[in-house]
Amino acid sequence: MKILSFKPGHDGTIAYLNEGQLMFSLEGEKNSFRRYSAVTVNLFVEAMSYLNELPEVVAVSGWYKGVGPLDNISTVSDSGYDGLDNILSENSTFLGKDIKRFSSSHERSHLMCSYGMSPFEQGRPCYALVWEGVLGNFYKIDENVNITFLGQVLEGPGSRYSFPYCVADRSSNGGTGQGGSYLSAAGKMMALAAFSDRSTTNDEEMKLINFIMNHPGEIWKLTNQDLAWSSFLNIGVEHPQFKNLAGKISDQIFDVFYKFAKDNLTENLPLLISGGCGLNCDWNTHWKNCGLFPEVFVPPCTNDSGSAIGTAIDAQFYYSGNAKISWDVYAGTEFIEDINCDEMFEVYDLNYDQVAKFIYEDHVIAWVQGKYEIGPRALGNRSLLASPFQEEMQARLNQIKKREGYRPIAPVCLEEDVSELFDWSDPSPYMLYFQKLKTDQLKAVTHVDNTARVQTVNSSQNPQLHELLIAFKGLSGFGVLCNTSLNFLGTGFINEMSDLVYYVQQQKLDGFVVNNKFYIVR
């Protein structure tokens, strides 16, 4: 069965399944478009260029009607945002061909994405958690892939988590949650929470925490006037008092969900996690280590970028009974070499030892291989790479990316070495968990709380990056590099040579690798 699937609204994506295999997942923000972009005409034309024949099913994730950054008004399109039984199937046509048109809710898209991409065989019951900007619910998926709602724990955990950042941020308009600044606040909160001393909550902290946890409805619509009573209004996100609050609100949200799980999820089943809160490495690590579940799975596209895949899986299950797919995280598109830049740089055939030596000498490079990654994390195909040893490198990389200085830089590590350097023994291929460091040598990738967000790499998962890490280990003794995403501020991954050359020149990188060529700035 051939299924072409669309996710409308922010994090717009087009995905294609062919006989249970994910052929591609193209995201609106990739190729240097604005973060959280919707599906565009250009993206649609690009997706169609990869099809050899017309699909049998066109699937659309349910969403809101509207044109705002969150597309959030009262009416819904297709199967809507929430609901487990909201499934539409009808006969239709697509470019003159008779097809099935399918839609199911946004809620189901998250559930089916995590279920269909998980390593657990179909028929094995699982618990599922969907937590994001709107939903905060637990479910059970039984042996027949029937989904049972177990309870709403907290409406809008992602919105409540991001909201205090907007309250404290002097550059915001007082907590209003419209637009990309609000959508990007969660990642900044995760970085700031590490600075918290987790001391006993004082009265001012508790007042704001209680307000955030108990506020009914759409908290992102509040403004300065609604928060005038709080001492945290416009305090500044790097103020020590706010950093302390960031950790405490993080713990408060997790603890509410953990208590529900401990009391109600008692069958020792695996846990599937989806929704934007699945990008929170602190919470994922707590779930993994809490002892309630034998296994935990979080897909690399756990946020809305996975919704098109989830709806495609839902359609496949509806028509065929198969709720599983085969997939690879590198399911974007190939890098586009739209210009020839050989005369602008020193150009060499890719030699891993040469590149490793260049990085070891504290040069920063862009690293481009094959197809781009699905989801928001750079996993070694659209990355900036650098030596991991000096604190100054963390500062330089944040300066290159025009990010706040408190933001940590993630390491990529040889899978076979991870347990020697980090308090971790499992693969972590999608950069979704925190690990404690066992060494003080990797200063550029060590956050203030002695954690790092590690991506592990083995020779089959990403052979090019694995080979580079082997070469770097031969020079330095450590199979670890700094790895952060290759993108302009506020955009998705770079995917064209012209954009890459401009980025290298503007951000003063020292060189770059594109597939089998190594370019050094003269």
Side-chain angles (χ1 to χ4, degrees):
M1 179 166 285
K2 299 171 179 62
I3 303 170
L4 184 66
S5 182
F6 297 83
K7 192 276 178 184
H10 71 77
D11 291 323
T13 309
I14 305 175
Y16 183 58
L17 296 184
N18 186 352
E19 306 303 332
Q21 181 176 354
L22 178 64
M23 307 306 294
F24 62 73
S25 181
L26 311 184
E27 299 168 28
E29 71 172 40
K30 298 294 171 66
N31 196 12
S32 301
F33 285 92
R34 188 181 297 275
R35 288 292 310 278
Y36 319 113
S37 290
V39 170
T40 64
V41 172
N42 286 344
L43 191 70
F44 175 76
V45 171
E46 181 181 14
M48 293 301 291
S49 73
Y50 298 118
L51 300 185
N52 295 322
E53 54 186 316
L54 293 180
E56 300 164 84
V57 179
V58 173
V60 181
S61 300
W63 194 246
Y64 292 108
K65 291 183 178 179
V67 295
L70 295 178
D71 300 319
N72 190 6
I73 61 176
S74 58
T75 56
V76 296
S77 65
D78 295 294
S79 294
Y81 199 92
D82 50 12
L84 298 180
D85 300 320
N86 301 11
I87 294 176
L88 166 72
S89 174
E90 60 186 10
N91 295 324
S92 186
T93 59
F94 186 72
L95 297 178
K97 177 183 177 180
D98 291 335
I99 61 157
K100 295 290 186 181
R101 188 179 186 280
F102 177 90
S103 179
S104 58
S105 68
H106 181 72
E107 184 174 7
R108 285 188 65 94
S109 78
H110 280 308
L111 288 161
M112 296 304 287
C113 176
S114 60
Y115 183 84
M117 296 180 74
S118 76
F120 314 131
E121 69 278 5
Q122 185 167 330
R124 183 180 182 185
C126 299
Y127 290 124
L129 168 61
V130 177
W131 53 348
E132 40 119 90
V134 176
L135 302 169
N137 309 329
F138 276 109
Y139 312 79
K140 181 180 176 182
I141 304 177
D142 70 13
E143 62 275 9
N144 297 314
V145 201
N146 296 311
I147 303 172
T148 302
F149 175 74
L150 299 180
Q152 180 187 68
V153 181
L154 181 68
E155 181 184 7
S159 298
R160 297 176 196 275
Y161 182 67
S162 298
F163 180 72
Y165 183 93
C166 299
V167 173
D169 183 13
R170 292 173 180 151
S171 68
S172 78
N173 57 350
T176 297
Q178 303 300 314
S181 61
Y182 186 76
L183 293 170
S184 65
K188 298 174 185 179
M189 281 288 288
M190 186 171 67
L192 290 164
F195 290 85
S196 177
D197 61 13
R198 260 66 176 201
S199 59
T200 302
T201 305
N202 63 41
D203 291 344
E204 283 297 309
E205 292 169 337
M206 185 56 69
K207 187 177 180 182
L208 183 56
I209 289 173
N210 285 337
F211 177 83
I212 290 168
M213 296 296 290
N214 297 318
H215 186 275
E218 299 167 334
I219 195 168
W220 59 81
K221 293 186 176 180
L222 298 179
T223 65
N224 274 351
Q225 292 179 343
D226 300 303
L227 276 299
W229 50 266
S230 176
S231 63
F232 289 98
L233 180 64
N234 294 329
I235 194 174
V237 296
E238 295 194 62
H239 193 288
Q241 291 180 26
F242 182 72
K243 288 179 176 178
N244 271 332
L245 177 73
K248 295 173 185 180
I249 188 67
S250 176
D251 293 346
Q252 181 77 15
I253 291 172
F254 180 83
D255 288 347
V256 170
F257 281 83
Y258 172 76
K259 184 177 186 304
F260 183 95
K262 185 177 180 182
D263 292 343
N264 296 281
L265 279 60
T266 58
E267 297 181 47
N268 196 38
L269 303 178
L271 177 66
L272 308 171
I273 296 175
S274 58
C277 294
L279 295 172
N280 189 304
C281 298
D282 190 18
W283 292 343
N284 288 343
T285 305
H286 284 324
W287 286 125
K288 187 176 187 299
N289 295 333
C290 72
L292 299 179
F293 312 102
E295 297 174 80
V296 174
F297 174 74
V298 190
C301 48
T302 180
N303 65 339
D304 282 5
S305 67
S307 287
I309 297 173
T311 301
I313 293 169
D314 207 7
Q316 177 181 275
F317 174 65
Y318 183 86
Y319 294 116
S320 73
N322 178 17
K324 290 291 178 177
I325 63 170
S326 58
W327 60 278
D328 188 285
V329 74
Y330 307 107
T333 63
E334 299 282 353
F335 189 75
I336 302 167
E337 298 191 41
D338 58 332
I339 63 170
N340 187 329
C341 60
D342 288 4
E343 295 184 1
M344 303 169 63
F345 304 94
E346 296 178 25
V347 186
Y348 303 89
D349 290 334
L350 175 59
N351 179 289
Y352 292 99
D353 291 330
Q354 181 188 15
V355 177
K357 183 174 184 294
F358 193 73
I359 296 174
Y360 183 63
E361 293 169 348
D362 285 332
H363 294 112
V364 176
I365 70 164
W367 176 265
V368 172
Q369 295 292 330
K371 298 178 179 180
Y372 68 67
E373 303 89 329
I374 61 175
R377 300 269 159 86
L379 302 172
N381 276 17
R382 301 293 183 271
S383 292
L384 292 175
L385 301 180
S387 176
F389 302 117
Q390 303 301 323
E391 290 182 12
E392 292 79 9
M393 185 58 73
Q394 184 255 359
R396 183 185 174 193
L397 288 169
N398 276 335
Q399 184 178 33
I400 287 171
K401 291 175 64 66
K402 298 183 179 180
R403 299 195 321 175
E404 300 85 353
Y406 59 78
R407 304 280 292 274
I409 298 296
V412 58
C413 177
L414 290 170
E415 184 181 296
E416 55 266 36
D417 290 355
V418 66
S419 61
E420 298 177 17
L421 303 173
F422 303 91
D423 186 17
W424 191 263
S425 57
D426 299 323
S428 183
Y430 310 126
M431 205 185 286
L432 291 169
Y433 298 93
F434 281 149
Q435 293 84 7
K436 291 283 187 181
L437 282 97
K438 293 181 177 180
T439 174
D440 61 1
Q441 299 297 302
L442 304 174
K443 294 181 173 62
V445 296
T446 303
H447 201 23
V448 64
D449 60 349
N450 196 44
T451 64
R453 187 179 68 192
V454 177
Q455 177 199 359
T456 61
V457 174
N458 60 44
S459 58
S460 60
Q461 168 202 348
N462 191 321
Q464 296 86 1
L465 186 56
H466 186 269
E467 187 70 21
L468 180 62
L469 288 166
I470 290 287
F472 189 79
K473 181 180 179 180
L475 286 172
S476 68
F478 290 84
V480 179
L481 290 169
C482 294
N483 174 26
T484 188
S485 56
L486 175 61
N487 63 289
F488 296 97
L489 179 66
T491 74
F493 301 157
I494 290 170
N495 204 50
E496 293 183 358
M497 183 70 86
S498 54
D499 284 343
L500 177 57
V501 170
Y502 181 77
Y503 187 86
V504 167
Q505 293 171 336
Q506 292 297 309
Q507 305 309 121
K508 313 238 181 276
L509 270 62
D510 302 306
F512 58 98
V513 170
V514 174
N515 294 321
N516 295 318
K517 294 289 185 180
F518 178 32
Y519 301 79
I520 296 178
V521 176
R522 292 192 176 108

